[in-house]
Amino acid sequence: MSNDILVIAEHLGGKVADISYEMVGKAKELAAAWGGQAIAVMLGSGMAEQAGTFASDATLYVDDPALAEFNPEAYGRVVAALVEEKSPRLVMFGSTSVGMDLAAWLSVKKDMPCVAYVNDLTVEDGELVATAQIYGGKMAAQCVPQGDAAVVSVMAGAFPADAGRGSTAAEQIASPADLSDLKVRFVQMIMPEAGDVDITAEEKLVAIGRGIGSEDNIELAQELAEALGAELAASRPITDAGWLPKTRQVGKSGVTVKPKLYLMLGISGAPEHLEGMKDAELIIAINTDENAPIFDVAHYGATQDLFDVAEAMLEALE
Amino acid sequence: MNIVVAIKHVPSTADELELNDDGTNLDFDEVDFVLNEFDEHAIEQAVLVKEAAGGEVTVVGVDVIEELDGVLHTALAKGADKAAKIVGDIEPPINSHTHARWLADAIGEMGPDLVLTGVQAVDDLDGQIGPMLAAHLDMPYVGVVTGVSASNGSVTVHKEYPGGVMAEFEVSLPAVIGVQAAEKPPRYAPISKIRQMAKSAEIEEIDADEDFEYEGCELRQMAKPVSAGHAEMLEGDAEEVAEKIIALLEDRGLL
């Protein structure tokens, strides 16, 4: 076993995702404590330039046409081969659409313990201590992975990205694994439908969540939004139910917004939603559950019934 | 097509969560268990695939607190054909590695063409079970999927990325798919139908391999997260709260 850390970088549309830099920055700190190297690993095709943008101790760039777009099977084969070859002490993935396909798979495949949803990592007496969120962010768990090597998946935004940006020259290598006969084949990217409002460009948003209860109640939220000169945004359950178009979804698989006002009606604040709005300038949350995680993030909060407050606001604004 | 849905019975996060005496996990005597919300979508997606392509849907889960029957009866009422539960001397918490190993043992015997499961669950501290099932069963895995259609020995799936971007993949069967959301909202099962299933349906019981133990992580401590701040709470009745919010917006020139 080495004392090195492999950071599996991510990219989409030719752009390196911030989570990659966030992990590299943290990996450098941990590797230094262990006397090892933080090695950024980029998989792609024609991405040599982007592979040279990390502040890592070393960077490996695996170039193969089969890796041009993310493919969980192809990526899995390459990462497993690199783990075999390098025997890293830690492999870091993002807790993202990419990393969530790979981290737990690698854990079973290579018999390495796994900690998911990690938002802090420290080395104490040489041991890795991972703090992870669990139960929808209502609890934080401190875990010590056992054995010689571990896998973690790290929450976006847990660590600063700037610490991982740099200009370490990447060593370009051919795929260490056979990438023929893949059972998973990338077909195409599907871009979001244009036409609806771009909520990332709005200064004021009224965001609705599960607490709105039924589709009929959206009208009230819409009226309030209009009275405030705002647009409607939503958390995942609302768009999944088809009550608002997908373009209105804020959070991990939706968009990230930084409006001047984010007024939240009936959103409890699941980590996936917080990821998309925590940097809004003014966050006001109305939710009947006084223990809802959203109140740790909002600037102002109220536990009144959201319908009563919305109606009272409408009346006062008229 | 033989479709298997792997489900997890997980602590409900709707209520206030209480910790056990040594502060290492929840007090499981004080918590309700519910079907993992993403598994509801996996069940719906399985029934949609069956309706479109034909076949049979089997739902299987670990009976963590001996209350899984209701969940399985509901799945049957929604259109699943068979239900199975993994039983034994089982007490929560059952980690994801153990879930995955027991489920893979059971599913391997079922000879599935397609395995669907929720992309994640609130208690998978040691990872999500979908990719683990794929590793155990030596099948390909694609997760964070919002639509599955089957044809001629493969499925076409849509995988979500941030910003509403999706990737389409074609996946040869057998395969494991981690469902983020079904193509349609999960259907409602009438109580009368669930009751009927409770009376008539047979739930297969599969013995857990109790010798399997995953000791990958020492869970040192669990606690409510320490937050950097807390909202300033606006007190009063709805009218007062509304006035205070409007005053805040006026102060900031937002009205």
Side-chain angles (χ1 to χ4, degrees):
Chain A
M1 184 200 70
S2 75
N3 283 319
D4 295 342
I5 298 173
L6 295 186
V7 176
I8 310 304
E10 297 181 18
H11 53 87
L12 186 64
K15 194 175 171 288
V16 178
D18 275 354
I19 180 76
S20 316
Y21 300 113
E22 293 166 15
M23 290 192 290
V24 165
K26 192 61 182 184
K28 277 177 69 177
E29 190 187 309
L30 301 172
W34 283 334
Q37 285 199 315
I39 306 173
V41 179
M42 177 99 125
L43 282 59
S45 178
M47 294 283 289
E49 195 183 317
Q50 292 92 324
T53 60
F54 298 106
S56 48
D57 298 313
T59 299
L60 279 177
Y61 170 48
V62 185
D63 187 288
D64 192 291
L67 303 170
E69 301 290 351
F70 175 66
N71 176 323
E73 189 183 19
Y75 269 54
R77 286 188 195 179
V78 171
V79 171
L82 288 175
V83 166
E84 190 73 28
E85 188 186 314
K86 307 271 177 197
S87 300
R89 184 155 179 179
L90 179 64
V91 183
M92 294 172 76
F93 294 95
S95 184
T96 59
S97 188
V98 168
M100 278 170 65
D101 277 9
L102 299 172
W105 177 85
L106 184 70
S107 166
V108 167
K109 209 74 187 169
K110 291 287 168 196
D111 200 15
M112 298 158 80
C114 179
V115 186
Y117 314 101
V118 167
N119 48 27
D120 199 15
L121 289 165
T122 54
V123 172
E124 289 174 18
D125 301 326
E127 267 184 340
L128 181 70
V129 180
T131 305
Q133 58 175 41
I134 181 172
Y135 303 126
K138 283 197 162 179
M139 290 287 168
Q142 237 184 51
C143 316
V144 179
Q146 306 293 294
D148 294 338
V151 178
V152 292
S153 60
V154 175
M155 299 295 292
F159 307 119
D162 283 346
R165 292 186 212 274
S167 56
T168 302
E171 180 194 345
Q172 182 167 334
I173 58 168
S175 173
D178 176 18
L179 297 179
S180 59
D181 298 323
L182 292 169
K183 292 176 210 131
V184 177
R185 292 169 298 278
F186 171 79
V187 179
Q188 60 171 337
M189 296 301 283
I190 302 168
M191 304 316 275
E193 277 176 45
D196 192 36
V197 174
D198 175 12
I199 56 169
T200 63
E202 293 295 324
E203 289 198 337
K204 292 184 263 184
L205 293 171
V206 172
I208 56 173
R210 221 188 281 267
I212 200 88
S214 79
E215 189 169 11
D216 296 340
N217 295 329
I218 290 181
E219 201 179 319
L220 177 65
Q222 178 67 44
E223 277 173 41
L224 178 61
E226 277 166 25
L228 293 168
E231 285 292 342
L232 272 190
S235 64
R236 172 131 218 161
I238 302 300
T239 54
D240 273 355
W243 296 348
L244 280 178
K246 194 82 187 158
T247 44
R248 304 286 179 137
Q249 187 185 321
V250 170
K252 185 174 187 171
S253 51
V255 294
T256 299
V257 296
K258 290 180 187 174
K260 288 187 175 158
L261 168 66
Y262 197 72
L263 174 62
M264 308 174 72
L265 306 176
I267 296 181
S268 65
E272 291 80 7
H273 188 75
L274 300 182
E275 212 176 298
M277 47 60 69
K278 61 181 189 313
D279 295 325
E281 284 177 38
L282 175 63
I283 303 169
I284 303 174
I286 301 167
N287 195 304
T288 47
D289 175 8
E290 61 178 325
N291 295 309
I294 192 56
F295 292 130
D296 291 336
V297 175
H299 303 106
Y300 294 91
T303 53
Q304 291 291 336
D305 180 85
L306 72 90
F307 302 107
D308 293 346
V309 175
E311 272 163 17
M313 282 183 74
L314 272 172
E315 230 163 83
L317 288 165
E318 265 169 17
Chain B
M1 179 151 39
N2 184 0
I3 308 166
V4 175
V5 186
I7 62 167
K8 241 183 170 188
H9 212 198
V10 299
S12 166
T13 56
D15 308 318
E16 171 134 29
L17 298 174
E18 285 184 35
L19 290 165
N20 61 14
D21 289 340
D22 58 0
T24 55
N25 214 319
L26 300 183
D27 181 349
F28 289 100
D29 292 335
E30 297 295 326
V31 67
D32 287 334
F33 273 63
V34 293
L35 175 62
N36 169 28
E37 60 173 304
F38 298 98
D39 294 341
E40 283 193 39
H41 284 270
I43 291 169
E44 178 62 32
Q45 187 63 64
V47 175
L48 290 173
V49 171
K50 179 185 93 164
E51 285 169 353
E56 188 176 74
V57 174
T58 305
V59 178
V60 56
V62 175
D63 199 1
V64 181
I65 56 156
E66 296 183 13
E67 286 179 15
L68 196 66
D69 285 10
V71 171
L72 294 171
H73 292 144
T74 305
L76 291 166
K78 289 181 171 187
D81 303 284
K82 287 186 194 168
K85 59 181 181 185
I86 293 164
V87 298
D89 188 10
I90 298 172
E91 263 182 55
I94 301 294
N95 57 52
S96 292
H97 280 76
T98 306
H99 258 99
R101 170 58 205 283
W102 288 348
L103 286 164
D105 286 349
I107 294 168
E109 296 290 320
M110 297 173 184
D113 300 303
L114 177 61
V115 180
L116 298 178
T117 187
V119 65
Q120 62 180 28
V122 292
D123 67 345
D124 43 31
L125 183 62
D126 58 320
Q128 300 80 16
I129 66 167
M132 295 184 191
L133 290 174
H136 283 303
L137 296 166
D138 201 19
M139 292 180 190
Y141 176 78
V142 182
V144 201
V145 161
T146 56
V148 182
S149 56
S151 66
N152 297 331
S154 69
V155 286
T156 299
V157 300
H158 288 166
K159 175 181 177 65
E160 279 195 357
Y161 293 123
V165 178
M166 286 192 294
E168 184 177 311
F169 290 98
E170 191 190 29
V171 188
S172 301
L173 298 177
V176 181
I177 302 296
V179 176
Q180 168 84 48
E183 270 153 291
K184 292 181 186 165
R187 66 194 70 191
Y188 172 78
I191 299 286
S192 58
K193 202 160 179 200
I194 299 172
R195 284 213 185 108
Q196 187 192 325
M197 289 299 168
K199 275 186 202 148
S200 62
E202 238 178 77
I203 293 172
E204 186 191 350
E205 295 194 2
I206 300 167
D207 289 330
D209 172 10
E210 286 166 25
D211 293 336
F212 177 79
E213 252 179 283
Y214 169 76
E215 292 174 327
C217 288
E218 179 202 333
L219 189 47
R220 265 197 193 166
Q221 193 201 333
M222 194 174 286
K224 292 195 174 151
V226 186
S227 58
H230 192 275
E232 184 181 317
M233 298 309 281
L234 306 171
E235 306 296 341
D237 62 22
E239 280 76 25
E240 287 166 296
V241 167
E243 275 168 33
K244 286 175 183 171
I245 291 174
I246 290 169
L248 282 169
L249 302 186
E250 281 171 342
D251 280 354
R252 286 168 175 72
L254 290 168
L255 274 180

